[in-house]
Amino acid sequence: ANSDDNVIISAPTGAGKTVLFEMAMARMFASNLVGKHLQHNKQYGIGGVSNMRKAVYIAPSKALCEERQADWSKRVADIDPGITCTTITGDATTSSSCYAEIASAHLILTTPEKWDSITRRWNDYVVLLGSIKLV
């Protein structure tokens, strides 16, 4: 359907949940590019994708996050070379560095445990976490 309504996908392994996320991510980035030639201001990066629209992919393991980042970094560069991906797992040194990475990235890949620790301090980062449009 042609809608931006919220949905929850519950399906067994191998049923295509990741493909649905990829389609939603492509739609989000593509719709963000529509107005890039009409508006030029500081919230737009080099390629024109706003840093005020972010996607978060939560994977069960660090290895899966790294695998998805390697694949998606190449794919989103085809949409716009200015789109950046980052992986945030329990290996990050400080929470402030995590928030800096989130602020500069368009696509954030993380584990459930790390995302839980990041979002526990949501009051300190309301604007940053408010820019997340797809999980």
Side-chain angles (χ1 to χ4, degrees):
N2 193 11
S3 169
D4 288 330
D5 292 342
N6 294 324
V7 296
I8 294 176
I9 308 298
S10 176
T13 301
K17 296 181 294 289
T18 301
V19 173
L20 291 174
F21 180 81
E22 289 173 343
M23 292 172 61
M25 182 174 54
R27 177 184 169 92
M28 183 188 79
F29 289 140
S31 68
N32 195 220
L33 287 170
V34 170
K36 84 174 187 177
H37 297 295
L38 302 174
Q39 298 178 343
H40 295 284
N41 58 40
K42 291 183 181 180
Q43 76 175 355
Y44 287 85
I46 295 168
V49 175
S50 172
N51 267 344
M52 297 307 293
R53 295 179 60 101
K54 300 178 185 303
V56 176
Y57 179 77
I58 302 173
S61 69
K62 176 185 171 188
L64 186 55
C65 286
E66 291 171 348
E67 179 185 314
R68 291 287 90 220
Q69 182 180 6
D71 181 35
W72 288 343
S73 292
K74 294 173 190 167
R75 286 188 186 185
V76 296
D78 291 340
I79 296 172
D80 186 326
I83 298 173
T84 57
C85 302
T86 189
T87 298
I88 299 173
T89 60
D91 296 343
T93 54
T94 64
S95 61
S96 60
S97 69
C98 289
Y99 292 106
E101 287 185 58
I102 291 170
S104 65
H106 298 89
L107 176 58
I108 300 120
L109 296 95
T110 188
T111 57
E113 297 82 11
K114 190 61 181 182
W115 191 244
D116 177 55
S117 72
I118 289 169
T119 56
R120 284 186 185 268
R121 295 186 51 202
W122 70 271
N123 280 339
D124 297 339
Y125 301 95
V126 172
V127 174
L128 180 60
L129 294 175
S131 66
I132 296 166
K133 305 300 180 199
L134 179 63
V135 177

